[in-house]
Amino acid sequence: MTMTDQPATHDPRWRRLPGERPTQIIDAALDVFSEHGFAAAKLDEIARRAGVSKGTIYLYFASKEELFKAVVIDTIGAQVRAAAQRPRAKSASESLERALRGHWSLATEPKFDGWFRILVSELPKHPDLLEFYNHEVIDHAWAIFEDIIRAGIASGEFRPVEPRLAVGFTNSLVVMHRHWVSSCSIRPEYQSRDRQQLIDGIVDFALAALRNPDAGSHA
Amino acid sequence: MTMTDQPATHDPRWRRLPGERPTQIIDAALDVFSEHGFAAAKLDEIARRAGVSKGTIYLYFASKEELFKAVVIDTIGAQVRAAAQRPRAKSASESLERALRGHWSLATEPKFDGWFRILVSELPKHPDLLEFYNHEVIDHAWAIFEDIIRAGIASGEFRPVEPRLAVGFTNSLVVMHRHWVSSCSIRPEYQSRDRQQLIDGIVDFALAALRNPDAGSHA
Amino acid sequence: MTMTDQPATHDPRWRRLPGERPTQIIDAALDVFSEHGFAAAKLDEIARRAGVSKGTIYLYFASKEELFKAVVIDTIGAQVRAAAQRPRAKSASESLERALRGHWSLATEPKFDGWFRILVSELPKHPDLLEFYNHEVIDHAWAIFEDIIRAGIASGEFRPVEPRLAVGFTNSLVVMHRHWVSSCSIRPEYQSRDRQQLIDGIVDFALAALRNPDAGSHA
Amino acid sequence: MTMTDQPATHDPRWRRLPGERPTQIIDAALDVFSEHGFAAAKLDEIARRAGVSKGTIYLYFASKEELFKAVVIDTIGAQVRAAAQRPRAKSASESLERALRGHWSLATEPKFDGWFRILVSELPKHPDLLEFYNHEVIDHAWAIFEDIIRAGIASGEFRPVEPRLAVGFTNSLVVMHRHWVSSCSIRPEYQSRDRQQLIDGIVDFALAALRNPDAGSHA
DNA sequence: CATGAATGAGGCTTCATTCAT
DNA sequence: CATGAATGAAGCCTCATTCAT
């Protein structure tokens, strides 16, 4: 795949082909790849959900593989754009809370219902996509969290923890529960439980884990 | 070759191992299903890794589907048996730590390298297996964690939190990081990082999140 | 090749013949099923004889089984249509002769060369097809013969016989000899013998068997 | 196949392997081949019905093909032996009746329930078996019928008909109805109808067809 | 541009045959 | 002799891909 052979602008490296068709196809493909995985996804079904014929897919994507890559790149792009817009706050706690809630808010959009499955099961088979994901999403988004935590530690708001590990801890809470919300792989309570309650609990859990007990009593 | 009285003819094309075969096949199948998912897994590869011919699989399993179910049930059984043997301790903190470390220890066994992928991607497609998993693993194993947390809250060791949610929080840490350890889907640091350091961090994070700040300072 | 304006490029790998395909395939399948039976018939061979690829069969028929059923239903339909058009005559003898010759004429068409084998060997394995055959062909076609015989008995032209049995007798002559004509399972004389002579003999035999010896001498 | 490499005794050319096992297997194989045809017959089922293991079949028969040939040869032998013992009578009519009833009696034995299917569908694919069948059964058994008919014509008992054709006519009645009796391929009346009534009707039909109307009135 | 009929490589599955026990 | 576990070739079927229309 060639994700970098573009002029070195500030634009993101993914590109959208012009017109509506590619978007229709990519949206349908995200659904189908999410539900069935790459191998079990059928172009017939993608075409049907996109409202186009099977041959039309090949007008815009060279192969099933390339369509999958386009889906991934498109999805990653949406996440990166969203992450870039998250506002910072005065305190580290408040910044972390905003970041967590922002992440949750984006992740729980219905269109990302099955994204986690792709991340877990399909991305590892595509080294170039994996590298792209790690570079664009992890390196950028996680760096934001890491900065917040470092700042909190420096200010004494947070306990002294290993920041890179702490980012993994807080994000694993968000990511894992977002999956449980839409997947039936865990007890049904997650289905009906108010999603607001879940993210509230996550924020509470994460802040409690990081809070510095030696800090000035700011009850 | 020295203790047999057989003439030194050609090696037999195969040996009779009726007791061993199903295990061999299931082990190989867990690997292959983990790596590729159900649809992309090829019986040829499973047979090759199991050291048997493709036809032999069908002596023990009626179909690819049934083999997959056998793999899942076998794996779940191993987890249930392991969970049943976890010892409890005096304090809730210590019990939780033991439970978390026990979970980590089991989950990081190499044979479960790809189990999380199956859990996330394949189980939702098999409602019967999913129900079996939820009943056998979640209902049992999570109940153990829930009991510990309830006890900790009751004793004042832990903050008052919603126990069922808290179980999800602590377990999502373990489960998610166990995946990151073996999958390349996250930054490479997890690969090389000492696994001991990871579970230490998780335990520290979880206990800090649950600790009751109002408890008598038992530093 | 002289009436088209197309450039003299390579031949197209295939042409679109959506209206023709099912018929092509059914015709080829009747041949192959007749020759080899259902189990031994290979879709590869059917496809080759139909001039299509193996996959094309599945555009029109869901399975080998369904293709077989389509062949049977199509063939039965042709027989029913033919039987419906057989003319009646004044005397019962003449009606019976026409019916027998009509049956013979249809049955000896080359496309029905192996139909008897399907009837004998494959239909009993498909209860739904068997019922369809019995209802559409036997109930209708045999009823025509039965009416003729009843009329002949009533008019004194035929001996008093059990009409339903008599139908079986006359038709077994036609059916069995039609098989012997095309199958090599009986002495080779049937192969070369003039088919006209066979049906003449059958008609003579059947009419002689039914003729009422007490009827007024109508030499 | 080598059906003739035996000492030129008066023995039939087929041979039974010694012991009970081959007979068990052949009997089971006749059933299974009759029911399913050669291609769809499974050695597993034959072994099961014979009460032996699959491997045992190969101790007595070199292949499925050879087992099938043994079944055919064995069955043909039984028919030939039975045909050879049929007594003759004074009049041609009586002789023919005895021959037809003898044929019917043998053919309706339960073990020959599916033999007709083999004759129709499988024998044509095996030229050597077909030749063997034609030589042993047709040439011999039909010759008996032919002699009877020739004698009847010579004595004036029968009409002047082509004897070889007449044999086919009379035998097609027997053979076809024997099939209908055990196969469900024709209207259910054949199933429940008294078999005695059927052969009575066949004899009546055949004799009426051949009777010489110009013969002295032997009412 | 868009379609969908046609293709054919590749996977799952069956089962005749072999052979260690 | 007898067994039945193991084999692997071969067949049905799927579906990504192509291309005439």
Side-chain angles (χ1 to χ4, degrees), chain A residues 22 24-47 49 57-58 61 63-75 111-123 125-126 129, chain B residues 39 120-122 125:
Chain A
Q24 292 172 8
I25 295 169
I26 283 180
D27 288 348
L30 173 57
D31 283 355
V32 177
F33 284 135
S34 295
E35 282 178 31
H36 302 295
F38 179 79
K42 298 172 197 175
L43 288 185
D44 267 321
E45 187 175 0
I46 294 173
R49 292 205 203 178
I57 294 175
Y58 283 84
F61 306 96
S63 66
K64 189 186 185 184
E65 176 89 12
E66 290 303 316
L67 172 57
F68 174 72
K69 290 183 176 177
V71 167
V72 170
I73 291 171
D74 187 79
T75 301
K111 69 175 296 191
F112 294 129
D113 262 7
W115 173 246
F116 186 65
R117 283 185 209 166
I118 291 178
L119 226 49
V120 165
S121 298
E122 304 298 348
L123 232 54
K125 301 172 194 168
H126 300 265
L129 287 178
Chain B
V120 165
S121 299
E122 305 296 349
K125 301 172 193 167

Side-chain angles (χ1 to χ4, degrees), chain D residues 199-210:
Chain D
I199 184 58
D200 289 347
I202 288 169
V203 167
D204 169 68
F205 190 86
L207 291 180
L210 292 174

Side-chain angles (χ1 to χ4, degrees), chain C residues 36 121 125 164 187 189, chain D residues 36 121 125 164 187 189:
Chain C
H36 302 295
S121 299
K125 302 172 193 168
R164 290 178 80 85
R187 49 174 78 180
E189 294 104 7
Chain D
H36 302 295
S121 299
K125 301 171 194 167
R164 292 180 77 85
R187 46 175 80 181
E189 295 106 4

Side-chain angles (χ1 to χ4, degrees), chain C residues 35-36 121 125 130 134 142 159 164 168-169 172-173 176-177 184-185 187 189 201-202 204-205 208-209, chain D residues 35-36 121 125 130 134 138 142 159 164 168-169 172-173 176-177 184-185 187 189 201-202 204-205 208-209:
Chain C
E35 282 179 30
H36 302 295
S121 299
K125 302 172 193 168
L130 187 61
N134 283 337
W142 285 43
R159 301 188 293 136
R164 290 178 80 85
F169 298 153
S172 66
L173 292 170
M176 194 74 252
H177 283 78
C184 49
S185 65
R187 49 174 78 180
E189 294 104 7
I202 288 169
D204 170 67
F205 190 85
Chain D
E35 282 178 30
H36 302 295
S121 299
K125 301 171 194 167
L130 187 60
N134 283 337
I138 304 299
W142 285 43
R159 302 188 292 136
R164 292 180 77 85
F169 297 153
S172 67
L173 293 170
M176 193 76 253
H177 283 77
C184 51
S185 66
R187 46 175 80 181
E189 295 106 4
I202 288 169
D204 169 68
F205 190 86

